[in-house]
Amino acid sequence: MFHKKKLSNWFRRWGLKMITLGLLAIPSISWATEGNALSAGDTTFIMISSALVMLMTPGLGLFYGGMVRTKNVLSTLMQCFAVLGVISIQWALFGYSIAFGSDVANLFGSMNFALLNNVGQTANPNFSETIPHMAFMIFQAMFAILTPALIAGALAERVKFSSFIVFIFFWSTFVYDPIAHWVWGGGWLGDLGALDFAGGTVVHIASGTSALVVALMLGKRRGYGTSSILPHNMTMVLIGTALLWFGWFGFNAGSALAADGLAVSAFVVTNLSAAAGMISWMLLEWKFRGKPTALGAASGAVAGLVAITPAAGFVGPMAAIVIGVLVSPICFAAIQLKNKLGYDDSLDAFGVHGVGGAWGALATGLFASIAVNPGGANGLFYGNPRLLWIQTIAVAATMAYAAVMTFIIAKIIDKTMGLRIEEHEEAIGLDLTQHGEAGYHNM
């Protein structure tokens, strides 16, 4: 009995002291949390979004790979996979720093983030206060990887693999990285007030315009216009489309950089625009060709995704449906014009990404609302015609810069290495001539 009382008194005396000390420690614990404002939820969300965007590049490979002929399927997939490796390293060495380093003359970033110096596990408040700087960097890396891969669609079935690798390295360095800085890194278009939530100008207009330039420089594929060149595997195209649609949720919603209401809104409008684009394209084919096609449905869905990308964080659901409905006839007309003019943009990279991205950027100038995103601006339909003018400047500047720089880069490569494969190699196919293997054993 004596021992029980003694033990009970000890617990009362020392237990109260420990509880008191614990309560006194709470302010310091709270202060420590405020001092390190990283959010586990936001960080996890951005890491998942980064993985989703990464999946878009092999998804694009399947999308493009199904549309080429059997003898070129592996080479088309290889081009997209190679971009994953080349641009991942380029981004870490200096690409990220050019895009997001300290501003130099409103045109490009300094080298303060080169070799990922000063890019660590703590937040950089210039980009986000709730996720590590390194998380922001790797999320943006996936955008930098996907963008040059889009250009492969215009060069399909006739470009040297070695030349393609060199081209994407220099294109990313001198085209993508500076334009990303203009819009997102503290450059002149961002200062002007241009809105691009997830890459309408930076990703789609830049790559689509560049794709057109290189397609014109390469010339038509052997047999283009005189023999039938059809997709060899529409099942692969639809699987690629599904992966792109899936990954696009990370592309657009992740651009909110937080697991919040704006991310949810971007997620919803992304889905609605893709759905509206797909339905709109099918209806167009039903009217003008008598039957809706799987290729048309896939093209419409991707066009809807492209168009909503710059607007995803600035428009509501009904505006997203309108944007998706209208992008299909716009891109459909651009592809018909290609057929009339006779140039060979093999897989319609310009017709869908360049033209669709331009419409999306301009539509942002029409439909943007601060009710959706107080950090954005109102567009024309909400009383601010100036935003439409700014968006027009952004579209024109991006197209002009991308076209000129792409021509210079491609011309230098063509004069030194040669861009296009030999005629007999094109007849055999890129799979065997560029890689020594085939996508299918019966080849």
Side-chain angles (χ1 to χ4, degrees):
M1 192 70 177
F2 170 77
H3 292 296
K4 286 183 180 178
K5 286 182 179 179
K6 189 175 182 180
L7 192 62
S8 176
N9 291 335
W10 186 90
F11 270 117
R12 272 197 217 99
R13 188 166 63 251
W14 289 101
L16 287 171
K17 288 181 179 180
M18 291 172 69
I19 291 170
T20 302
L21 286 171
L23 291 171
L24 290 171
I26 287 176
S28 64
I29 294 170
S30 176
W31 176 85
T33 302
E34 290 172 5
N36 182 11
L38 292 182
S39 164
D42 290 350
T43 302
T44 302
F45 175 63
I46 294 304
M47 290 173 68
I48 292 172
S49 295
S50 300
L52 287 171
V53 181
M54 177 270 164
L55 189 63
M56 292 174 70
T57 300
L60 180 71
L62 290 171
F63 179 74
Y64 280 166
M67 285 195 279
V68 299
R69 289 168 288 184
T70 307
K71 61 185 179 180
N72 297 312
V73 58
L74 187 66
S75 67
T76 303
L77 286 161
M78 268 291 292
Q79 288 168 6
C80 291
F81 270 84
V83 174
L84 272 166
V86 173
I87 303 306
S88 290
I89 301 302
Q90 184 266 5
W91 191 249
L93 293 178
F94 53 80
Y96 177 67
S97 199
I98 295 173
F100 291 98
S102 300
D103 180 64
V104 177
N106 266 184
L107 296 175
F108 52 87
S110 69
M111 287 293 104
N112 60 314
F113 294 146
L115 308 180
L116 298 187
N117 185 42
N118 301 314
V119 181
Q121 299 175 24
T122 56
N124 184 325
N126 291 328
F127 308 122
S128 171
E129 294 183 350
T130 63
I131 65 172
H133 189 182
M134 193 170 284
F136 176 80
M137 180 279 299
I138 198 63
F139 179 66
Q140 291 297 336
M142 299 309 163
F143 284 64
I145 289 165
L146 177 68
T147 306
L150 295 171
I151 302 173
L155 319 181
E157 304 194 301
R158 63 200 189 278
V159 68
K160 283 184 180 179
F161 184 72
S162 57
S163 299
F164 176 76
I165 295 299
V166 174
F167 172 78
I168 62 167
F169 181 86
F170 285 106
W171 186 88
S172 295
T173 301
F174 293 106
V175 180
Y176 178 84
D177 296 342
I179 293 176
H181 185 80
W182 292 359
V183 179
W184 296 328
W188 70 278
L189 282 179
D191 286 351
L192 188 64
L195 299 181
D196 186 359
F197 191 71
T201 50
V202 179
V203 175
H204 297 291
I205 295 175
S207 63
T209 302
S210 299
L212 175 62
V213 170
V214 183
L216 291 172
M217 294 177 70
L218 276 175
K220 303 174 187 177
R221 285 169 288 177
R222 186 173 176 270
Y224 181 81
T226 59
S227 60
S228 181
I229 302 178
L230 298 174
H232 89 281
N233 191 332
M234 279 309 305
T235 303
M236 186 183 291
V237 173
L238 290 179
I239 292 172
T241 304
L243 290 173
L244 285 170
W245 196 327
F246 178 67
W248 227 291
F249 292 129
F251 201 77
N252 286 358
S255 294
L257 298 179
D260 58 11
L262 183 59
V264 174
S265 178
F267 191 111
V268 170
V269 299
T270 297
N271 191 64
L272 289 174
S273 184
M278 181 178 68
I279 293 170
S280 180
W281 201 297
M282 288 194 299
L283 291 173
L284 283 168
E285 288 193 320
W286 233 319
K287 177 175 177 58
F288 293 105
R289 296 177 180 173
K291 297 176 182 178
T293 66
L295 181 59
S299 299
V302 172
L305 291 164
V306 168
I308 198 60
T309 296
F314 305 112
V315 305
M318 295 305 104
I321 293 175
V322 174
I323 290 170
V325 166
L326 294 180
V327 73
S328 288
I330 293 170
C331 292
F332 189 86
I335 293 171
Q336 301 313 305
L337 182 62
K338 176 199 79 169
N339 295 332
K340 289 183 179 179
L341 295 176
Y343 66 88
D344 187 11
D345 174 4
S346 310
L347 309 180
D348 297 315
F350 175 71
V352 173
H353 294 278
V355 174
W359 159 241
L362 296 175
T364 304
L366 298 173
F367 295 103
S369 169
I370 58 172
V372 175
N373 185 350
N378 283 325
L380 175 65
F381 295 155
Y382 293 91
N384 181 23
R386 183 173 180 272
L387 181 61
L388 180 59
W389 172 241
I390 292 171
Q391 295 298 101
T392 303
I393 293 173
V395 171
T398 302
M399 283 187 163
Y401 179 77
V404 172
M405 291 304 298
T406 299
F407 178 81
I408 293 171
I409 294 167
K411 179 61 72 174
I412 292 172
I413 293 173
D414 191 36
K415 292 295 184 182
T416 54
M417 301 175 61
L419 272 175
R420 184 163 180 160
I421 59 174
E422 299 294 333
E423 188 172 338
H424 72 278
E425 293 178 314
E426 188 175 345
I428 296 169
L430 275 68
D431 288 2
L432 291 175
T433 61
Q434 300 299 295
H435 306 291
E437 52 189 350
Y440 302 101
H441 289 301
N442 61 2
M443 290 294 292

